[in-house]
């Protein structure tokens, strides 16, 4: 079973052109208002002085191949568009010059949430978590970002507008605070994720998503919440929690709604009998509804039960109704296989569209929400013959939920149809090659170097590894090749009458060696006949010879000008926050970088001693983009700062000065660092005018 979207938290380094089809709708369900909250940190028990414990981390179920990730496509997919500037030499500086569709203007750009804040929010009673999964929404002068289990709200200059948590959120015995970041357990009204004094755990929150809806002037933040026992065991009950701001000001009070996702809506049992995990939630909206989709995996055995769609009344959510009308639709068996007449596959990562402003909604068929998905995932299809077991496809699926105006009634009656559209070829990408990949870590990659180190004197004895492990590990770690995702659809936008989406793919830019690249699609959908029809308006690839581009997210203004965000690396460029213009007439523009990475990814999922052999470096599951007027705001993962080995070890190497927490590398009291002992991911938020 692959459940690749749940971020892996760890407590300590010691732990290891076809006919449309109709899907069946399940009615009679609803979401319930369960309380109110605010963007502020809740009460906590101060953590102890030690950051290293012997407790196990809560990992996701392994893949059949040992969680190494999907195998890359062994064939060739040639990018003939030369959309990276005709194969130019290495050049990632921000473009300047006259404003044009292919030359977006970078405005405000600032560091968003990072691993330090993730780990040390709420007095340090948090987990170290990777990969960083991002939510971003912008409106009414505010920029809201949530990553894994923390949230912050900024003004448009990058200054947090939440209360200063220094007095209540500072880690005991540690001079560096986490600024204004709020843990999501507090935000949704739960106890701390982990009480580090007692070991008691509360609900586990993952995969945040959000949007600002211009029509209701509300912010919406949704998460997957997993119920746990105090000892940390999962109970298998899981639900989607949705926070809705009571006004257009996210600093105020929020209403909290919840609905269960432990069932898949079919109640048919058999090979895919539940209970299920409602994995990888994503959020969209049209004029009438808020739509959350998940991928349903059986908890008790390998399998996949199809993407699930939950349609909720937007007006009722915005009004704080005690009970919100909702319709649940299961997509199992609803996608026809073009290569096998009469056969079907379930929908997988059916991503609902967000629309900019209020004039971009599809009002046909009594209100319509469009969604987009791919057809090359191993959950939903079969390996292609002659490709060595790889998953490859040349189609995408356009979906339409019609009659969404019925969400205003007590008995919603939405109808879901889909259309399989021929597309360019896409397939599983190879791993990302960051600088130094495959070589022994240097002191500039402190965690990896520490695992291999047998000579440095520390407070625990000779050999840095003693700070991290109870038993001696092998000392053969190397700089990793970060994950490049699979072929699931990434963020989807409906703007200017078109549906925009992108995904990760294997790519041979300029006919050269295979690298990770992006396949993007601009589709023209219609519901004029009552069900969906669609045709490909424009498509293409974005890549560069010798470089890797991963985790795309597209935002498009009402006029049809867009920006695509992604992570970027090459032989000399550390994981960086990249972007490019995208347009429905001319395609993509040159690759630019909003913030260049400062070091290699040094996360705990990179190392065999931490997660087993082979390790799978979890770099991300998705980035984010949000539209505000004529600007597109983007957020991507990157490595914000470097940290030398001596500073990383600090007092743990016997120094008389330095941080009281291993690996934090904070520069001064009151200045939040960006890394911890276990990793160094950060996020970058940028405003781009296409």
């Amino acid at each position: 079973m692959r459940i690749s979207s749940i971020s892996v938290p760890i407590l300590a380094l010691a732990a290891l052109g076809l006919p449309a089809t109709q899907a069946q709708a399940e009615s009679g369900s609803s979401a319930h208002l369960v309380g109110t909250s605010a963007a502020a940190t809740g009460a906590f028990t101060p953590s102890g002085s030690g950051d290293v414990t012997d407790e196990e981390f809560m990992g996701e179920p392994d893949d059949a191949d040992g969680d190494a990730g999907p195998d890359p496509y062994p064939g060739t997919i040639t990018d003939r568009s030369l959309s990276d500037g005709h194969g130019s030499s290495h050049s990632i500086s921000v473009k300047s010059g006259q404003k044009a569709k292919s030359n977006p203007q970078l405005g405000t750009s600032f560091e968003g949430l990072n691993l330090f804040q993730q780990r040390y929010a709420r007095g340090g009673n948090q987990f170290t978590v990777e990969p960083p999964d991002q939510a971003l929404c912008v409106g009414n002068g505010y920029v809201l970002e949530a990553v894994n289990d923390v949230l912050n709200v900024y003004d448009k200059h990058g200054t947090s507008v939440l209360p200063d948590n220094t007095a209540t959120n500072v880690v005991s015995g540690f001079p560096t605070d986490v600024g204004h970041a709020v843990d999501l357990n507090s935000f949704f009204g739960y106890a701390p994720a982990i009480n580090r004094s007692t070991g008691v755990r509360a609900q586990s929150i993952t995969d945040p998503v959000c949007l600002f809806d211009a029509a209701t002037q509300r912010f919406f933040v949704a998460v997957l919440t997993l119920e746990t026992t105090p000892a940390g065991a999962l109970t298998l009950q899981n639900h989607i929690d949705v926070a809705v701001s009571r006004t257009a000001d996210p600093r105020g009070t929020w209403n909290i709604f919840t609905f269960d996702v432990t069932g898949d809506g079919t109640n048919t049992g058999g090979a895919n009998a539940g209970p299920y995990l409602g994995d990888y939630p994503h959020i969209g909206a049209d004029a009438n509804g808020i739509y959350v989709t998940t991928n349903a995996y059986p908890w008790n055995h390998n399998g996949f039960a199809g993407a699930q769609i939950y349609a909720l009344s937007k007006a009722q959510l915005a009004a704080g109704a005690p009970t919100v009308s909702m319709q649940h639709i299961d997509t199992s068996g609803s996608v026809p296989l073009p290569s096998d007449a009469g056969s079907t596959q379930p929908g997988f990562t059916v991503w609902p569209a967000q629309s900019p402003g209020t004039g971009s909604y599809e009002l046909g068929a009594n209100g319509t929400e469009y969604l987009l998905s791919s057809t090359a995932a191993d959950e939903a299809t079969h390996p292609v013959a002659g490709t060595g077991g790889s998953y490859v496809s040349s189609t995408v699926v356009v979906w339409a939920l019609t009659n969404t105006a019925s969400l205003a009634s007590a008995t919603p009656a939405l109808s879901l149809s889909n259309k399989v559209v021929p597309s360019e070829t896409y397939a599983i990408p190879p791993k990302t090659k960051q600088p130094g990949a495959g070589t022994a870590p240097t002191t500039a990659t402190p965690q990896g170097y520490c695992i291999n180190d047998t000579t440095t004197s520390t407070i625990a004895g000779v050999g840095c590894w003693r700070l991290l492990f109870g038993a001696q590990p092998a000392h053969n770690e190397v700089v990793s090749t970060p994950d490049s995702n699979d072929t699931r659809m990434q963020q989807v936008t409906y703007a200017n009458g078109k549906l925009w989406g992108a995904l990760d793919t294997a790519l041979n830019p300029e006919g050269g060696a295979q690298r990770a690249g992006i396949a993007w699609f601009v589709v023209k959908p219609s519901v004029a006949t009552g069900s969906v029809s669609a045709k490909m308006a424009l498509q293409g690839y974005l890549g560069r010879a010798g470089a890797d581009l991963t985790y795309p997210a597209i935002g498009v203004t009402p006029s049809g000008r867009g920006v695509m965000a992604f992570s970027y690396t090459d032989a000399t460029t550390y994981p960086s926050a990249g972007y490019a213009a995208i347009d429905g007439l001319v395609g993509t523009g040159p690759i630019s970088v909003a913030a260049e990475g400062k070091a290699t990814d040094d996360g705990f999922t990179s190392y065999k001693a931490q997660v087993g052999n082979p390790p799978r470096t979890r770099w991300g599951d998705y980035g984010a983009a949000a539209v505000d007027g004529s600007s597109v705001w983007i957020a991507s993962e990157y490595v914000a700062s470097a940290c030398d080995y001596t500073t990383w070890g600090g007092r743990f190497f016997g120094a008389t000065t330095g941080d009281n927490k291993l690996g934090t590398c904070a520069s001064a009291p009151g200045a939040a660092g960006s890394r911890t002992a276990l990793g160094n991911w950060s996020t970058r938020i940028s405003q781009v005018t296409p």
Side-chain angles (χ1 to χ4, degrees):
M1 171 171 60
R2 175 167 291 115
I3 305 176
S4 60
S5 74
I6 292 183
S7 298
V8 182
I10 183 170
L11 282 175
L13 293 167
L16 279 188
L18 295 175
T21 61
Q22 201 76 16
Q24 182 178 1
E26 299 290 328
S27 299
S29 53
S30 59
H32 299 281
L33 177 66
V34 294
T36 62
S37 187
T41 295
F44 67 91
T45 300
S47 68
S49 61
D51 188 36
V52 177
T53 76
D54 59 359
E55 296 183 75
E56 296 292 322
F57 68 87
M58 294 164 50
E60 62 186 27
D62 286 343
D63 298 334
D65 58 0
D67 202 34
D71 296 325
Y73 178 58
T76 298
I77 301 177
T78 302
D79 177 11
R80 303 187 187 280
S81 66
L82 299 179
S83 58
D84 65 337
H86 301 280
S88 59
S89 60
H90 174 69
S91 175
I92 61 167
S93 60
V94 175
K95 306 297 180 182
S96 61
Q98 194 172 17
K99 183 176 179 180
K101 288 186 178 181
S102 60
N103 185 27
Q105 304 298 297
L106 180 65
T108 301
S109 184
F110 57 92
E111 183 174 1
L113 292 161
N114 56 46
L115 180 55
F116 180 91
Q117 294 167 312
Q118 161 64 41
R119 170 61 180 84
Y120 290 109
R122 202 164 185 172
N125 291 285
Q126 289 267 100
F127 294 104
T128 295
V129 181
E130 61 180 36
D133 295 332
Q134 291 179 276
L136 183 72
C137 42
V138 183
N140 193 35
Y142 300 105
V143 179
L144 186 154
E145 183 191 30
V147 181
N148 291 341
D149 298 330
V150 284
L151 174 148
N152 210 338
V153 180
Y154 310 91
D155 64 22
K156 291 189 175 181
H157 303 289
T159 301
S160 178
V161 296
L162 295 183
D164 187 350
N165 290 316
T166 300
T168 59
N169 207 16
V170 68
V171 179
S172 177
F174 188 40
T176 303
D177 65 80
V178 296
H180 303 250
V182 173
D183 67 292
L184 287 181
N185 273 55
S186 290
F187 183 67
F188 282 95
Y190 298 119
I194 170 73
N195 183 318
R196 287 186 171 268
S197 295
T198 65
V200 173
R201 304 188 194 186
Q203 287 81 357
S204 177
I205 289 177
T206 188
D207 287 351
V209 292
C210 76
L211 64 82
F212 175 77
D213 180 68
T216 59
Q217 290 290 293
R218 297 291 190 272
F219 286 86
F220 297 80
V221 178
V223 296
L224 172 64
T225 301
L226 291 77
E227 294 293 330
T228 64
T229 68
L234 297 173
T235 68
L236 309 189
Q237 181 185 359
N238 58 114
H239 42 93
I240 299 295
D241 294 338
V242 182
V244 184
S245 63
R246 285 186 168 182
T247 69
D249 188 342
R251 300 171 300 174
T253 304
W254 295 64
N255 290 324
I256 309 297
F257 299 84
T258 189
F259 58 91
D260 188 75
V261 293
T262 311
D264 74 340
T266 63
N267 301 314
T268 57
N272 269 335
Y276 302 93
L277 172 67
D279 189 38
Y280 207 60
H282 289 290
I283 191 168
D286 75 340
N288 305 299
I290 296 293
Y291 308 93
V292 178
T293 61
T294 67
N295 289 328
Y297 293 89
W299 277 108
N300 299 322
H301 55 83
N302 292 340
F304 178 63
Q308 310 298 307
I309 302 173
Y310 301 89
L312 299 96
S313 167
K314 184 167 66 175
Q316 293 171 14
L317 286 170
T323 300
V324 175
S325 298
M326 184 180 82
Q327 188 166 343
H328 174 193
I329 302 174
D330 174 46
T331 68
S332 297
S334 61
V335 181
L337 285 171
S339 58
D340 189 0
S343 296
T344 62
Q345 67 184 51
F348 173 70
T349 308
V350 180
W351 200 302
Q354 297 186 15
S355 296
T358 58
S360 295
Y361 300 134
E362 172 63 83
L363 302 179
N366 201 32
T368 296
E369 167 70 2
Y370 290 117
L371 311 91
L372 194 61
S373 66
S374 64
T375 55
D378 61 349
E379 287 91 340
T381 188
H382 305 287
V384 174
T387 64
S390 290
Y391 298 87
V392 58
S393 181
S394 298
T395 60
V396 295
V397 187
V398 179
W399 306 74
L401 273 170
T402 53
N403 196 33
T404 63
S406 70
L407 285 168
S409 70
T411 56
L414 280 65
S415 179
L416 179 68
S417 60
N418 68 57
K419 178 74 171 180
V420 180
V421 179
S423 73
E424 62 199 8
T425 301
Y426 56 91
I428 302 294
K431 303 289 188 183
T432 295
K433 298 177 180 64
Q434 62 178 330
T439 65
T442 68
T443 55
T445 311
Q447 181 183 186
Y449 191 84
C450 179
I451 299 172
N452 290 348
D453 179 4
T454 61
T455 61
T456 298
S457 295
T458 76
I459 61 173
V462 176
C464 180
W465 65 268
R466 296 180 185 276
L467 297 172
L468 312 181
F469 303 95
Q472 187 170 4
H475 305 294
N476 58 357
E477 303 289 358
V478 298
V479 175
S480 67
T481 51
D483 202 353
S484 298
N485 207 3
D486 52 22
T487 57
R488 70 187 66 203
M489 190 62 64
Q490 298 291 284
Q491 182 165 331
V492 176
T493 300
Y494 179 67
N496 197 233
K498 302 179 182 69
L499 200 59
W500 311 66
L503 49 77
D504 296 277
T505 184
L507 194 62
N508 298 77
E510 304 167 55
Q514 186 184 92
R515 302 299 292 251
I518 296 167
W520 54 266
F521 314 94
V522 183
V523 183
K524 180 67 175 177
S526 174
V527 288
T529 63
S531 61
V532 68
S533 61
K535 62 180 180 179
M536 191 68 68
L538 194 66
Q539 59 186 326
Y541 301 106
L542 184 66
R544 173 177 284 166
D548 294 298
L549 284 64
T550 56
Y551 301 100
I554 298 176
V556 184
T557 68
S559 65
R561 293 189 176 191
V563 177
M564 182 194 301
F566 45 83
S567 286
Y568 177 97
T569 61
D570 61 30
T572 59
T573 306
Y574 299 119
S576 302
Y579 67 95
I582 185 168
D583 181 79
L585 296 176
V586 300
T588 51
I591 294 168
S592 298
V593 164
E596 188 167 350
K598 303 300 184 184
T600 58
D601 175 34
D602 190 34
F604 70 87
T605 56
S606 297
Y607 301 116
K608 295 178 289 185
Q610 301 288 15
V611 296
N613 191 17
R616 180 183 177 189
T617 300
R618 299 303 310 282
W619 178 243
D621 281 318
Y622 49 91
V627 178
D628 184 48
S630 61
S631 293
V632 178
W633 290 79
I634 56 176
S636 297
E637 300 88 354
Y638 83 124
V639 179
S641 60
C643 180
D644 67 86
Y645 194 47
T646 300
T647 304
W648 182 86
R651 295 180 185 271
F652 292 80
F653 285 177
T656 57
T657 60
D659 302 321
N660 293 330
K661 295 293 182 182
L662 179 65
T664 52
C665 303
S667 58
S674 63
R675 72 160 295 150
T676 71
L678 296 167
N680 61 341
W681 59 258
S682 296
T683 65
R684 190 75 178 188
I685 301 173
S686 301
Q687 178 190 27
V688 185
T689 303

